[in-house]
Amino acid sequence: MIGLIHIPHEVATHLDYYVYALRDPRTGLVFYVGKGTGDRINAHLREAGKDPLSERQKIQTVLDIENAGRQVELLFLRTGIADEATAFAIEQAVIDAHAASGHALTNLVRGHHSSAHGLVALPEVVAQYRAQQCPPIPHSVLMFKIQKGWRPGMSKDDVFEKTRGHWRVAVRTRERAEYALGIAYGVIYGAYRIDSWFPSKMPGDQGKNRWGFNGGEAPELEYVIGTQVRDAFPNQVMYRRFLEGYPGSVS
């Protein structure tokens, strides 16, 4: 069979999972991208004589190339992939890269999980995942910027500890504040009631009017967690006070 090169076992072991492409030597264009192990890269050449019901355009391209006396060029795009999930992701990315350039492949499907994680324009991604605007909060609330040291997946206890202190808060504000919100990159990640305040005992905080608060989670404000309040932090301030309530996000 034209172009078929057997892959010995020791070579297949070295390759692990891989992503490959079939290229038309007449045009220099890739017409199929896949992932596999072992001898999978040769499978399409074997299928060409069987005319299967699936992926007819791919098989017809293989036959047209062979009927022209040429050989399908078999290319490894990435080898040594440790697991199938990663191979699927790379395969999908390559397929989508071709689609983005306007070059249609003969693949019947765009790739594994392509509808969830595949080719999409930036405005669509922002629209899909951007946090919703925070609705009005009819309580006296303080918003603390906790993004220094914040990380995705941080535990609830860690978010609370970062939110509770220590901050330079005036006595009048401490007397009136009912709730505190922990904000990272404009998004609310924690909402807590304020029961009492205590002066910071952190090294270097003495005499700087820095305070922390005692309290706990505020289920009544759970509806604001995950919403965004970017309009509340137009500059580099570390906290904002809304002692008459927060009117809601407008940006």
Side-chain angles (χ1 to χ4, degrees):
M1 181 174 293
I2 296 177
L4 188 62
I5 300 175
H6 174 67
I7 298 179
H9 179 268
E10 69 274 15
V11 176
T13 301
H14 176 77
L15 294 174
D16 292 328
Y17 282 96
Y18 56 78
V19 175
Y20 64 92
L22 309 183
R23 186 167 65 189
D24 189 336
R26 301 168 300 175
T27 63
L29 297 177
V30 168
F31 62 92
Y32 185 87
V33 170
K35 68 92 188 164
T37 59
D39 203 43
R40 173 58 183 169
I41 194 171
N42 279 314
H44 310 285
L45 303 185
R46 295 193 184 95
E47 294 172 3
K50 300 177 182 179
D51 193 22
L53 294 178
S54 63
E55 298 186 302
R56 286 181 179 273
Q57 185 179 356
K58 174 194 68 180
I59 299 304
Q60 187 59 55
T61 302
V62 172
L63 291 173
D64 289 345
I65 293 170
E66 293 184 345
N67 289 337
R70 307 291 295 275
Q71 297 181 12
V72 175
E73 295 176 344
L74 307 179
L75 310 172
F76 288 110
L77 302 180
R78 179 62 187 262
T79 62
I81 303 171
D83 57 83
E84 187 175 35
T86 303
F88 271 129
I90 295 173
E91 175 197 37
Q92 178 207 309
V94 175
I95 292 172
D96 281 347
H98 281 82
S101 69
H103 173 51
L105 300 175
T106 59
N107 295 68
L108 281 181
V109 295
R110 282 178 47 197
H112 200 59
H113 294 316
S114 61
S115 60
H117 305 294
L119 179 65
V120 63
L122 174 60
E124 296 173 53
V125 172
V126 172
Q128 181 177 358
Y129 295 111
R130 181 181 176 89
Q132 297 297 310
Q133 296 175 351
C134 180
I137 301 175
H139 305 284
S140 176
V141 62
L142 305 181
M143 297 184 181
F144 295 112
K145 187 184 292 185
I146 63 170
Q147 63 198 44
K148 184 178 181 180
W150 178 88
R151 63 188 184 280
M154 180 178 285
S155 71
K156 288 185 177 181
D157 288 344
D158 287 342
V159 174
F160 175 63
E161 288 301 320
K162 288 191 69 64
T163 304
R164 70 189 303 218
H166 300 91
W167 311 97
R168 187 173 296 172
V169 183
V171 60
R172 179 175 176 273
T173 299
R174 298 198 304 272
E175 290 174 347
R176 296 187 58 190
E178 301 174 86
Y179 296 95
L181 304 179
I183 316 294
Y185 300 98
V187 177
I188 301 172
Y189 287 99
Y192 311 99
R193 70 177 188 278
I194 299 173
D195 295 335
S196 61
W197 292 88
F198 59 89
S200 173
K201 292 182 170 40
M202 296 292 290
D205 278 356
Q206 287 75 17
K208 294 185 178 179
N209 196 33
R210 292 187 180 274
W211 297 78
F213 67 86
N214 297 306
E217 292 187 354
E220 60 273 31
L221 290 186
E222 186 175 356
Y223 68 97
V224 306
I225 295 178
T227 62
Q228 61 93 358
V229 290
R230 293 188 177 93
D231 61 312
F233 291 92
N235 47 42
Q236 299 301 313
V237 298
M238 295 306 296
Y239 94 93
R240 294 291 306 278
R241 59 181 182 271
F242 295 91
L243 300 180
E244 304 300 330
Y246 177 62
S249 176
V250 297
S251 63

